[in-house]
mmCIF file of all heavy atoms in Angstrom:
data_model
loop_
_atom_site.group_PDB
_atom_site.id
_atom_site.type_symbol
_atom_site.label_atom_id
_atom_site.label_comp_id
_atom_site.label_asym_id
_atom_site.label_seq_id
_atom_site.Cartn_x
_atom_site.Cartn_y
_atom_site.Cartn_z
ATOM 1 N N GLU A 1 0.821 -1.211 0.000
ATOM 2 C CA GLU A 1 0.000 0.000 0.000
ATOM 3 C C GLU A 1 0.860 1.269 0.000
ATOM 4 O O GLU A 1 0.522 2.248 -0.669
ATOM 5 C CB GLU A 1 -0.944 -0.001 1.206
ATOM 6 C CG GLU A 1 -2.052 -1.020 1.087
ATOM 7 C CD GLU A 1 -2.842 -1.207 2.373
ATOM 8 O OE1 GLU A 1 -2.783 -0.317 3.252
ATOM 9 O OE2 GLU A 1 -3.510 -2.245 2.498
ATOM 10 N N ILE A 2 1.956 1.267 0.729
ATOM 11 C CA ILE A 2 2.855 2.423 0.743
ATOM 12 C C ILE A 2 3.473 2.624 -0.629
ATOM 13 O O ILE A 2 3.535 3.750 -1.146
ATOM 14 C CB ILE A 2 3.932 2.276 1.839
ATOM 15 C CG1 ILE A 2 3.299 2.381 3.229
ATOM 16 C CG2 ILE A 2 5.039 3.332 1.672
ATOM 17 C CD1 ILE A 2 4.210 1.987 4.380
ATOM 18 N N LEU A 3 3.917 1.539 -1.251
ATOM 19 C CA LEU A 3 4.503 1.650 -2.592
ATOM 20 C C LEU A 3 3.474 2.167 -3.595
ATOM 21 O O LEU A 3 3.788 3.034 -4.419
ATOM 22 C CB LEU A 3 5.072 0.298 -3.040
ATOM 23 C CG LEU A 3 6.300 -0.195 -2.284
ATOM 24 C CD1 LEU A 3 6.651 -1.620 -2.718
ATOM 25 C CD2 LEU A 3 7.490 0.737 -2.470
ATOM 26 N N LEU A 4 2.260 1.655 -3.539
ATOM 27 C CA LEU A 4 1.209 2.116 -4.446
ATOM 28 C C LEU A 4 0.891 3.601 -4.217
ATOM 29 O O LEU A 4 0.705 4.357 -5.171
ATOM 30 C CB LEU A 4 -0.054 1.272 -4.279
ATOM 31 C CG LEU A 4 0.012 -0.152 -4.838
ATOM 32 C CD1 LEU A 4 -1.165 -0.989 -4.344
ATOM 33 C CD2 LEU A 4 0.082 -0.142 -6.354
ATOM 34 N N ALA A 5 0.843 4.012 -2.958
ATOM 35 C CA ALA A 5 0.559 5.416 -2.645
ATOM 36 C C ALA A 5 1.673 6.332 -3.156
ATOM 37 O O ALA A 5 1.408 7.413 -3.689
ATOM 38 C CB ALA A 5 0.366 5.591 -1.137
ATOM 39 N N LEU A 6 2.915 5.900 -2.995
ATOM 40 C CA LEU A 6 4.033 6.701 -3.495
ATOM 41 C C LEU A 6 3.978 6.829 -5.014
ATOM 42 O O LEU A 6 4.247 7.895 -5.564
ATOM 43 C CB LEU A 6 5.373 6.082 -3.086
ATOM 44 C CG LEU A 6 5.854 6.399 -1.693
ATOM 45 C CD1 LEU A 6 7.090 5.563 -1.367
ATOM 46 C CD2 LEU A 6 6.148 7.877 -1.539
ATOM 47 N N GLU A 7 3.625 5.758 -5.681
ATOM 48 C CA GLU A 7 3.549 5.788 -7.131
ATOM 49 C C GLU A 7 2.460 6.756 -7.600
ATOM 50 O O GLU A 7 2.625 7.439 -8.609
ATOM 51 C CB GLU A 7 3.265 4.389 -7.666
ATOM 52 C CG GLU A 7 3.196 4.339 -9.176
ATOM 53 C CD GLU A 7 2.906 2.957 -9.691
ATOM 54 O OE1 GLU A 7 1.837 2.403 -9.356
ATOM 55 O OE2 GLU A 7 3.766 2.429 -10.415
ATOM 56 N N GLN A 8 1.376 6.829 -6.869
ATOM 57 C CA GLN A 8 0.248 7.657 -7.266
ATOM 58 C C GLN A 8 0.450 9.142 -6.953
ATOM 59 O O GLN A 8 -0.205 9.982 -7.548
ATOM 60 C CB GLN A 8 -1.031 7.169 -6.596
ATOM 61 C CG GLN A 8 -1.481 5.838 -7.133
ATOM 62 C CD GLN A 8 -2.678 5.285 -6.369
ATOM 63 O OE1 GLN A 8 -3.159 5.881 -5.419
ATOM 64 N NE2 GLN A 8 -3.139 4.112 -6.785
ATOM 65 N N GLN A 9 1.344 9.438 -6.025
ATOM 66 C CA GLN A 9 1.515 10.850 -5.664
ATOM 67 C C GLN A 9 2.176 11.607 -6.809
ATOM 68 O O GLN A 9 2.908 11.040 -7.599
ATOM 69 C CB GLN A 9 2.305 10.980 -4.369
ATOM 70 C CG GLN A 9 3.758 11.253 -4.496
ATOM 71 C CD GLN A 9 4.418 11.518 -3.157
ATOM 72 O OE1 GLN A 9 3.783 11.651 -2.144
ATOM 73 N NE2 GLN A 9 5.708 11.583 -3.187
ATOM 74 N N ASN A 10 1.894 12.852 -6.877
ATOM 75 C CA ASN A 10 2.461 13.727 -7.897
ATOM 76 C C ASN A 10 3.990 13.716 -7.781
ATOM 77 O O ASN A 10 4.533 13.928 -6.706
ATOM 78 C CB ASN A 10 1.915 15.143 -7.700
ATOM 79 C CG ASN A 10 2.417 16.115 -8.718
ATOM 80 O OD1 ASN A 10 3.408 15.887 -9.401
ATOM 81 N ND2 ASN A 10 1.723 17.230 -8.824
ATOM 82 N N GLU A 11 4.677 13.467 -8.887
ATOM 83 C CA GLU A 11 6.143 13.393 -8.865
ATOM 84 C C GLU A 11 6.786 14.682 -8.372
ATOM 85 O O GLU A 11 7.901 14.667 -7.879
ATOM 86 C CB GLU A 11 6.670 13.050 -10.255
ATOM 87 C CG GLU A 11 6.376 11.626 -10.664
ATOM 88 C CD GLU A 11 6.939 11.299 -12.028
ATOM 89 O OE1 GLU A 11 7.739 12.082 -12.564
ATOM 90 O OE2 GLU A 11 6.582 10.245 -12.547
ATOM 91 N N ASN A 12 6.111 15.808 -8.518
ATOM 92 C CA ASN A 12 6.661 17.076 -8.076
ATOM 93 C C ASN A 12 6.328 17.401 -6.623
ATOM 94 O O ASN A 12 6.722 18.434 -6.113
ATOM 95 C CB ASN A 12 6.154 18.213 -8.982
ATOM 96 C CG ASN A 12 6.603 18.021 -10.406
ATOM 97 O OD1 ASN A 12 7.714 17.568 -10.654
ATOM 98 N ND2 ASN A 12 5.743 18.352 -11.353
ATOM 99 N N SER A 13 5.605 16.510 -5.966
ATOM 100 C CA SER A 13 5.205 16.739 -4.581
ATOM 101 C C SER A 13 6.360 16.425 -3.650
ATOM 102 O O SER A 13 7.004 15.386 -3.764
ATOM 103 C CB SER A 13 4.010 15.851 -4.231
ATOM 104 O OG SER A 13 3.722 15.954 -2.859
ATOM 105 N N SER A 14 6.623 17.314 -2.738
ATOM 106 C CA SER A 14 7.645 17.054 -1.728
ATOM 107 C C SER A 14 6.987 16.664 -0.401
ATOM 108 O O SER A 14 7.663 16.496 0.589
ATOM 109 C CB SER A 14 8.517 18.299 -1.532
ATOM 110 O OG SER A 14 7.712 19.381 -1.099
ATOM 111 N N ARG A 15 5.661 16.539 -0.427
ATOM 112 C CA ARG A 15 4.896 16.236 0.779
ATOM 113 C C ARG A 15 5.165 14.829 1.288
ATOM 114 O O ARG A 15 5.288 14.594 2.473
ATOM 115 C CB ARG A 15 3.422 16.441 0.484
ATOM 116 C CG ARG A 15 2.592 16.621 1.714
ATOM 117 C CD ARG A 15 1.155 16.899 1.369
ATOM 118 N NE ARG A 15 0.597 15.703 0.764
ATOM 119 C CZ ARG A 15 -0.330 15.706 -0.174
ATOM 120 N NH1 ARG A 15 -0.807 16.822 -0.632
ATOM 121 N NH2 ARG A 15 -0.790 14.579 -0.665
ATOM 122 N N GLY A 16 5.220 13.870 0.403
ATOM 123 C CA GLY A 16 5.461 12.494 0.800
ATOM 124 C C GLY A 16 4.228 11.811 1.358
ATOM 125 O O GLY A 16 3.127 12.364 1.371
ATOM 126 N N ILE A 17 4.423 10.588 1.836
ATOM 127 C CA ILE A 17 3.350 9.754 2.373
ATOM 128 C C ILE A 17 3.678 9.449 3.834
ATOM 129 O O ILE A 17 4.756 8.945 4.146
ATOM 130 C CB ILE A 17 3.253 8.416 1.593
ATOM 131 C CG1 ILE A 17 3.041 8.639 0.106
ATOM 132 C CG2 ILE A 17 2.186 7.506 2.198
ATOM 133 C CD1 ILE A 17 1.743 9.281 -0.277
ATOM 134 N N SER A 18 2.744 9.746 4.717
ATOM 135 C CA SER A 18 2.924 9.396 6.130
ATOM 136 C C SER A 18 1.670 8.742 6.702
ATOM 137 O O SER A 18 1.671 8.305 7.844
ATOM 138 C CB SER A 18 3.280 10.638 6.953
ATOM 139 O OG SER A 18 2.252 11.604 6.853
ATOM 140 N N HIS A 19 0.617 8.685 5.906
ATOM 141 C CA HIS A 19 -0.656 8.127 6.363
ATOM 142 C C HIS A 19 -1.245 7.275 5.245
ATOM 143 O O HIS A 19 -1.211 7.657 4.081
ATOM 144 C CB HIS A 19 -1.619 9.275 6.714
ATOM 145 C CG HIS A 19 -2.988 8.809 7.081
ATOM 146 N ND1 HIS A 19 -3.276 8.279 8.315
ATOM 147 C CD2 HIS A 19 -4.139 8.787 6.380
ATOM 148 C CE1 HIS A 19 -4.570 7.943 8.347
ATOM 149 N NE2 HIS A 19 -5.112 8.244 7.186
ATOM 150 N N ILE A 20 -1.772 6.134 5.615
ATOM 151 C CA ILE A 20 -2.507 5.265 4.702
ATOM 152 C C ILE A 20 -3.894 5.073 5.310
ATOM 153 O O ILE A 20 -4.022 4.660 6.468
ATOM 154 C CB ILE A 20 -1.806 3.889 4.533
ATOM 155 C CG1 ILE A 20 -0.390 4.039 3.977
ATOM 156 C CG2 ILE A 20 -2.646 2.956 3.669
ATOM 157 C CD1 ILE A 20 -0.299 4.523 2.550
ATOM 158 N N GLU A 21 -4.902 5.395 4.529
ATOM 159 C CA GLU A 21 -6.284 5.297 5.004
ATOM 160 C C GLU A 21 -6.560 3.898 5.552
ATOM 161 O O GLU A 21 -6.240 2.890 4.915
ATOM 162 C CB GLU A 21 -7.248 5.608 3.855
ATOM 163 C CG GLU A 21 -8.682 5.784 4.285
ATOM 164 C CD GLU A 21 -8.888 7.007 5.152
ATOM 165 O OE1 GLU A 21 -8.241 8.042 4.905
ATOM 166 O OE2 GLU A 21 -9.705 6.910 6.086
ATOM 167 N N GLY A 22 -7.127 3.847 6.758
ATOM 168 C CA GLY A 22 -7.482 2.575 7.378
ATOM 169 C C GLY A 22 -6.348 1.897 8.118
ATOM 170 O O GLY A 22 -6.529 0.805 8.657
ATOM 171 N N ARG A 23 -5.177 2.528 8.145
ATOM 172 C CA ARG A 23 -4.009 1.952 8.832
ATOM 173 C C ARG A 23 -3.582 2.856 9.982
ATOM 174 O O ARG A 23 -3.656 4.079 9.885
ATOM 175 C CB ARG A 23 -2.824 1.789 7.871
ATOM 176 C CG ARG A 23 -3.078 0.876 6.697
ATOM 177 C CD ARG A 23 -3.130 -0.565 7.134
ATOM 178 N NE ARG A 23 -3.289 -1.452 5.981
ATOM 179 C CZ ARG A 23 -3.343 -2.751 6.087
ATOM 180 N NH1 ARG A 23 -3.264 -3.345 7.250
ATOM 181 N NH2 ARG A 23 -3.498 -3.483 5.007
ATOM 182 N N ASP A 24 -3.106 2.254 11.051
ATOM 183 C CA ASP A 24 -2.590 2.995 12.196
ATOM 184 C C ASP A 24 -1.307 3.732 11.794
ATOM 185 O O ASP A 24 -0.412 3.128 11.182
ATOM 186 C CB ASP A 24 -2.311 2.006 13.340
ATOM 187 C CG ASP A 24 -1.710 2.671 14.543
ATOM 188 O OD1 ASP A 24 -2.433 3.420 15.225
ATOM 189 O OD2 ASP A 24 -0.503 2.458 14.786
ATOM 190 N N ASP A 25 -1.213 5.023 12.125
ATOM 191 C CA ASP A 25 -0.058 5.822 11.711
ATOM 192 C C ASP A 25 1.260 5.298 12.269
ATOM 193 O O ASP A 25 2.286 5.370 11.598
ATOM 194 C CB ASP A 25 -0.245 7.292 12.094
ATOM 195 C CG ASP A 25 -1.260 8.001 11.214
ATOM 196 O OD1 ASP A 25 -1.596 7.479 10.126
ATOM 197 O OD2 ASP A 25 -1.723 9.093 11.609
ATOM 198 N N SER A 26 1.252 4.750 13.483
ATOM 199 C CA SER A 26 2.503 4.214 14.034
ATOM 200 C C SER A 26 2.937 2.965 13.272
ATOM 201 O O SER A 26 4.132 2.729 13.081
ATOM 202 C CB SER A 26 2.373 3.918 15.529
ATOM 203 O OG SER A 26 1.428 2.895 15.769
ATOM 204 N N ASN A 27 1.979 2.179 12.796
ATOM 205 C CA ASN A 27 2.294 1.002 11.989
ATOM 206 C C ASN A 27 2.847 1.427 10.629
ATOM 207 O O ASN A 27 3.811 0.844 10.126
ATOM 208 C CB ASN A 27 1.047 0.132 11.829
ATOM 209 C CG ASN A 27 1.351 -1.221 11.249
ATOM 210 O OD1 ASN A 27 2.466 -1.725 11.317
ATOM 211 N ND2 ASN A 27 0.335 -1.833 10.663
ATOM 212 N N VAL A 28 2.257 2.461 10.042
ATOM 213 C CA VAL A 28 2.755 2.983 8.761
ATOM 214 C C VAL A 28 4.172 3.520 8.948
ATOM 215 O O VAL A 28 5.060 3.252 8.136
ATOM 216 C CB VAL A 28 1.810 4.066 8.195
ATOM 217 C CG1 VAL A 28 2.419 4.746 6.974
ATOM 218 C CG2 VAL A 28 0.453 3.452 7.846
ATOM 219 N N ALA A 29 4.410 4.258 10.032
ATOM 220 C CA ALA A 29 5.748 4.799 10.305
ATOM 221 C C ALA A 29 6.773 3.674 10.448
ATOM 222 O O ALA A 29 7.890 3.767 9.921
ATOM 223 C CB ALA A 29 5.727 5.663 11.566
ATOM 224 N N TYR A 30 6.397 2.616 11.146
ATOM 225 C CA TYR A 30 7.290 1.463 11.300
ATOM 226 C C TYR A 30 7.648 0.874 9.936
ATOM 227 O O TYR A 30 8.822 0.596 9.656
ATOM 228 C CB TYR A 30 6.623 0.400 12.180
ATOM 229 C CG TYR A 30 7.384 -0.900 12.217
ATOM 230 C CD1 TYR A 30 8.524 -1.022 13.006
ATOM 231 C CD2 TYR A 30 6.989 -1.988 11.460
ATOM 232 C CE1 TYR A 30 9.242 -2.210 13.041
ATOM 233 C CE2 TYR A 30 7.692 -3.179 11.488
ATOM 234 C CZ TYR A 30 8.819 -3.285 12.279
ATOM 235 O OH TYR A 30 9.532 -4.465 12.304
ATOM 236 N N HIS A 31 6.657 0.705 9.088
ATOM 237 C CA HIS A 31 6.902 0.121 7.774
ATOM 238 C C HIS A 31 7.722 1.053 6.882
ATOM 239 O O HIS A 31 8.567 0.593 6.117
ATOM 240 C CB HIS A 31 5.586 -0.297 7.122
ATOM 241 C CG HIS A 31 5.078 -1.577 7.678
ATOM 242 N ND1 HIS A 31 4.375 -1.634 8.866
ATOM 243 C CD2 HIS A 31 5.200 -2.850 7.253
ATOM 244 C CE1 HIS A 31 4.088 -2.897 9.131
ATOM 245 N NE2 HIS A 31 4.576 -3.658 8.163
ATOM 246 N N ILE A 32 7.495 2.342 6.981
ATOM 247 C CA ILE A 32 8.323 3.282 6.229
ATOM 248 C C ILE A 32 9.774 3.142 6.663
ATOM 249 O O ILE A 32 10.683 3.097 5.831
ATOM 250 C CB ILE A 32 7.808 4.729 6.395
ATOM 251 C CG1 ILE A 32 6.479 4.892 5.652
ATOM 252 C CG2 ILE A 32 8.848 5.746 5.911
ATOM 253 C CD1 ILE A 32 5.769 6.212 5.910
ATOM 254 N N ARG A 33 10.011 3.045 7.972
ATOM 255 C CA ARG A 33 11.383 2.883 8.479
ATOM 256 C C ARG A 33 12.050 1.628 7.900
ATOM 257 O O ARG A 33 13.157 1.695 7.390
ATOM 258 C CB ARG A 33 11.403 2.808 9.996
ATOM 259 C CG ARG A 33 12.817 2.568 10.561
ATOM 260 C CD ARG A 33 12.812 2.302 12.052
ATOM 261 N NE ARG A 33 12.297 3.430 12.795
ATOM 262 C CZ ARG A 33 13.060 4.285 13.469
ATOM 263 N NH1 ARG A 33 14.356 4.149 13.509
ATOM 264 N NH2 ARG A 33 12.501 5.280 14.130
ATOM 265 N N ILE A 34 11.357 0.498 7.966
ATOM 266 C CA ILE A 34 12.008 -0.727 7.493
ATOM 267 C C ILE A 34 12.133 -0.752 5.971
ATOM 268 O O ILE A 34 13.053 -1.370 5.433
ATOM 269 C CB ILE A 34 11.352 -2.011 8.061
ATOM 270 C CG1 ILE A 34 9.920 -2.200 7.585
ATOM 271 C CG2 ILE A 34 11.448 -2.029 9.578
ATOM 272 C CD1 ILE A 34 9.278 -3.529 8.009
ATOM 273 N N MET A 35 11.236 -0.065 5.275
ATOM 274 C CA MET A 35 11.350 0.016 3.818
ATOM 275 C C MET A 35 12.529 0.899 3.408
ATOM 276 O O MET A 35 13.190 0.624 2.404
ATOM 277 C CB MET A 35 10.038 0.527 3.219
ATOM 278 C CG MET A 35 8.903 -0.485 3.337
ATOM 279 S SD MET A 35 7.292 0.205 2.906
ATOM 280 C CE MET A 35 7.481 0.357 1.121
ATOM 281 N N ILE A 36 12.801 1.940 4.188
ATOM 282 C CA ILE A 36 14.005 2.752 3.950
ATOM 283 C C ILE A 36 15.236 1.888 4.173
ATOM 284 O O ILE A 36 16.160 1.876 3.357
ATOM 285 C CB ILE A 36 14.017 3.994 4.871
ATOM 286 C CG1 ILE A 36 12.916 4.975 4.477
ATOM 287 C CG2 ILE A 36 15.390 4.673 4.838
ATOM 288 C CD1 ILE A 36 12.678 6.092 5.503
ATOM 289 N N GLU A 37 15.245 1.138 5.280
ATOM 290 C CA GLU A 37 16.379 0.259 5.592
ATOM 291 C C GLU A 37 16.610 -0.780 4.499
ATOM 292 O O GLU A 37 17.745 -1.138 4.202
ATOM 293 C CB GLU A 37 16.152 -0.440 6.935
ATOM 294 C CG GLU A 37 16.170 0.493 8.124
ATOM 295 C CD GLU A 37 15.680 -0.147 9.414
ATOM 296 O OE1 GLU A 37 15.169 -1.290 9.392
ATOM 297 O OE2 GLU A 37 15.798 0.515 10.457
ATOM 298 N N ALA A 38 15.513 -1.259 3.878
ATOM 299 C CA ALA A 38 15.610 -2.279 2.827
ATOM 300 C C ALA A 38 15.976 -1.691 1.472
ATOM 301 O O ALA A 38 16.231 -2.431 0.521
ATOM 302 C CB ALA A 38 14.299 -3.050 2.716
ATOM 303 N N GLY A 39 15.981 -0.367 1.373
ATOM 304 C CA GLY A 39 16.336 0.274 0.107
ATOM 305 C C GLY A 39 15.185 0.357 -0.886
ATOM 306 O O GLY A 39 15.405 0.629 -2.061
ATOM 307 N N LEU A 40 13.941 0.152 -0.426
ATOM 308 C CA LEU A 40 12.785 0.235 -1.316
ATOM 309 C C LEU A 40 12.346 1.678 -1.543
ATOM 310 O O LEU A 40 11.810 2.002 -2.600
ATOM 311 C CB LEU A 40 11.612 -0.558 -0.749
ATOM 312 C CG LEU A 40 11.800 -2.068 -0.643
ATOM 313 C CD1 LEU A 40 10.629 -2.699 0.084
ATOM 314 C CD2 LEU A 40 11.971 -2.677 -2.027
#
């Protein structure tokens, strides 16, 4: 879901993704952290 959301965001947007509808923000933050660590 994070990858799909990033793909859909405007390429010129510097806002980024920190929230996924229907998901707990702390869980999304955790996944963003490990996805950065994995190089995704």
Side-chain angles (χ1 to χ4, degrees):
E1 289 170 19
I2 291 169
L3 292 173
L4 287 167
L6 278 172
E7 181 180 61
Q8 291 174 358
Q9 98 174 351
N10 181 342
E11 289 181 12
N12 298 323
S13 173
S14 60
R15 200 177 67 213
I17 303 295
S18 60
H19 175 78
I20 300 292
E21 191 66 37
R23 299 288 184 179
D24 177 71
D25 287 344
S26 64
N27 191 22
V28 172
Y30 171 78
H31 282 82
I32 290 171
R33 177 188 298 257
I34 65 174
M35 291 170 72
I36 291 168
E37 293 169 352
L40 295 173

